[in-house]
Amino acid sequence: MEAERGARHERWSTRWNEQGAPALRQFLTGILSGRQQGAEGPATHELRASDDDRERVAEVLREAVADGRLTPLEHEERVERLYTARTLGELVGLTADLLPEELQPLRADGRPVMALFRSEQRDGRWVVPSHYPVTAIGTGVTLDLREALLQSSHITVQATVVGATLTLVVPEGVHVIIPAQSMLGGKKNQAPRAVPPDAPVIEVTGMIMMGSVITKYPKPPKRGWGRRRSP
């Protein structure tokens, strides 16, 4: 019995020295330095806006003038700026004082996620930088990419997951790979592997300690049981 316990301890010590200690050093280095790699291409707020982006902002402006948050003159001025705006950064400024951050129709700041014992979620129309750091400690973080604008065709999510779960909800036609290191953690990639050769790539790197990374497609809508069949 004593020999068995000693052998188990030796195995755990070896595994810690080979995987756990380097992963912990990587985690502490990332937290203390706070450095981010430079993104490729234009900054997130410099990306070109689409007609759909403008319509999202226009809807917020319509609601704001209807309930008195904007005067008719202010609404007219902002609509004029709306339809001459070329970038996402210009659109974001039109609604910044009308809604809290989590309800904004667009988010183009590209800020990384730092979730410490408090859940975080990114969803709706937001810009995902080419290199996106995500730190989740003792909590859950969800990145919903279904309506997101990818800054490049290859997105690297630099994940630091400790006692937490990072969930990525990806749209169809996106290829996901998870080469992140794992120490007493798990990686579950539910996104289909059969995608076009030129499909965008989401790569999850970094390390997972006593936590998990899950990627999945959104569930299809449920079919109604109450529909009457045609005769």
Side-chain angles (χ1 to χ4, degrees), residues 24-47:
L24 182 59
R25 284 195 296 271
Q26 178 184 346
F27 163 68
L28 293 175
T29 299
I31 293 297
L32 294 176
S33 68
R35 296 177 182 175
Q36 301 180 32
Q37 298 182 11
E40 300 176 359
T44 55
H45 66 277
E46 295 174 343
L47 293 174

Side-chain angles (χ1 to χ4, degrees), residues 81-150:
R81 290 164 55 193
L82 167 65
Y83 289 107
T84 58
R86 295 180 299 172
T87 67
L88 294 178
E90 293 175 278
L91 295 185
V92 168
L94 297 175
T95 61
D97 60 346
L98 299 177
L99 294 171
E101 180 182 359
E102 65 273 13
L103 297 180
Q104 288 292 327
L106 299 171
R107 278 178 282 182
D109 53 23
R111 288 182 301 166
V113 174
M114 177 70 73
L116 307 178
F117 304 101
R118 178 180 176 181
S119 62
E120 293 282 348
Q121 180 164 331
R122 296 286 188 274
D123 58 7
R125 185 67 166 171
W126 63 293
V127 179
V128 187
S130 300
H131 183 268
Y132 193 57
V134 176
T135 300
I137 301 177
T139 187
V141 171
T142 299
L143 304 181
D144 189 336
L145 307 178
R146 286 176 292 176
E147 298 181 52
L149 177 60
L150 306 183

Side-chain angles (χ1 to χ4, degrees), residues 8-59:
R8 279 202 305 268
H9 176 74
E10 183 67 24
R11 288 195 297 270
W12 276 105
S13 296
T14 301
R15 188 176 181 186
W16 170 257
N17 291 330
E18 293 178 351
Q19 302 181 32
L24 182 59
R25 284 195 296 271
Q26 178 184 346
F27 163 68
L28 293 175
T29 299
I31 293 297
L32 294 176
S33 68
R35 296 177 182 175
Q36 301 180 32
Q37 298 182 11
E40 300 176 359
T44 55
H45 66 277
E46 295 174 343
L47 293 174
R48 290 278 184 158
S50 68
D51 289 340
D52 182 66
D53 295 327
R54 293 185 183 86
E55 183 55 34
R56 289 170 183 265
V57 173
E59 179 62 27

Side-chain angles (χ1 to χ4, degrees), residues 195-216:
V195 295
D198 59 347
V201 176
I202 306 294
E203 180 181 9
V204 183
T205 63
M207 70 92 175
I208 309 161
M209 292 184 65
M210 298 178 289
S212 60
V213 171
I214 301 171
T215 64
K216 60 184 181 180

Side-chain angles (χ1 to χ4, degrees), residues 185-198:
K187 299 182 288 185
K188 191 173 183 180
N189 188 355
Q190 299 177 345
R193 305 299 176 87
V195 295
D198 59 347

